[in-house]
Amino acid sequence: MPGVTAWVGLMTLIEPKAGETVVVSAASGAVGSVVGQLAKSLSCRVVGLAGGPDKCKAVVEEFGFDACIDYRQHPDLKSLSAALKEACPQGIDGYFENVGGLILDAVLLRANAFSRVAMCGMIAGYNGEPIPLQAPQLILSNRMKVQGVIVSEHMNHWPQALKELGESVASGKLKYRETVAPNIEAAPEAFIGLLKGKNFGKQLVKLI
């Protein structure tokens, strides 16, 4: 399911073209890591955002992104926007959103005209706090397309997505990571860790 989510959001909403710049938040996660690898296969420049040096290193060295920004090193909008400007010298054409909040604000400042945003997750608001946009007028001035993606509403794309993803995994072209909790008793701690970004890749719980 995470792989198909990545495929549907990237291929049907962002529709990247060779040479464009695609940015992915939560780039070390189960969805984000696949988005980046798919975009690289389409000859895009791919920039990720992840929390911590270890995740950023894996995003570049393991998943093949061109660059990865450690958002924890950029706690304010000015700093994060500057980091995106350096990593995306030609601006941002496509953005796969998993986080929201400050990261989305920074991306909007660097977005090109007619850029496309696939809204997949809003981790910044999962605890119930509001996540207002600082400059929503940029969506208008840049004529951006912003659309949410719920993968279960795109069942028509699943056969093609699964075929392509399955072939890529089987051939070793598509890399992925999993974090496995040992038993059901560990599930609550794993879930809390998921919201705090402690997991790497897909968080799973072993039942048997």
Side-chain angles (χ1 to χ4, degrees):
M1 183 273 290
V4 178
T5 300
W7 191 98
V8 169
L10 183 72
M11 299 300 194
T12 71
L13 300 185
I14 296 176
E15 298 180 303
K17 303 175 183 65
E20 289 189 327
T21 296
V22 175
V23 172
V24 186
S25 58
S28 67
V31 175
S33 61
V34 175
V35 173
Q37 291 176 78
L38 291 175
K40 280 301 297 180
S41 72
L42 298 172
S43 301
C44 294
R45 175 172 177 78
V46 182
V47 176
L49 294 114
D54 291 340
K55 288 185 177 181
C56 284
K57 181 179 180 181
V59 166
V60 174
E61 296 183 0
E62 187 174 336
F63 299 136
F65 286 52
D66 294 287
C68 188
I69 298 168
D70 182 356
Y71 65 83
R72 293 178 181 171
Q73 301 299 315
H74 305 281
D76 59 77
L77 183 58
K78 182 178 180 181
S79 175
L80 187 56
S81 178
L84 279 169
K85 183 177 182 180
E86 181 178 356
C88 308
Q90 302 301 318
I92 298 170
D93 302 295
Y95 176 48
F96 199 100
E97 173 64 284
N98 290 305
V99 177
L102 177 68
I103 292 178
L104 178 55
D105 284 328
V107 167
L108 288 178
L109 290 174
R110 305 260 62 91
N112 290 331
F114 304 105
S115 49
R116 294 84 63 196
V117 179
M119 304 289 290
C120 178
M122 301 290 278
I123 297 171
Y126 282 4
N127 289 331
E129 59 266 51
I131 42 175
L133 287 174
Q134 292 198 28
Q137 67 272 22
L138 293 170
I139 297 172
L140 172 60
S141 60
N142 284 327
R143 290 85 78 206
M144 298 174 67
K145 181 178 80 172
V146 181
Q147 185 172 339
V149 53
I150 303 296
V151 71
S152 59
E153 298 176 346
H154 297 270
M155 298 306 295
N156 58 311
H157 292 298
W158 279 65
Q160 182 180 356
L162 288 173
K163 179 178 183 296
E164 293 182 12
L165 292 166
E167 290 174 351
S168 295
V169 170
S171 67
K173 293 181 179 178
L174 185 65
K175 311 293 184 183
Y176 65 93
R177 286 247 198 142
E178 296 174 340
T179 299
V180 183
N183 48 51
I184 192 65
E185 289 77 17
E189 183 179 354
F191 182 71
I192 293 171
L194 176 69
L195 297 179
K196 294 182 177 180
K198 292 184 177 181
N199 64 299
F200 201 134
K202 185 66 175 177
Q203 176 67 61
L204 301 173
V205 177
K206 187 175 182 179
L207 298 179
I208 57 173

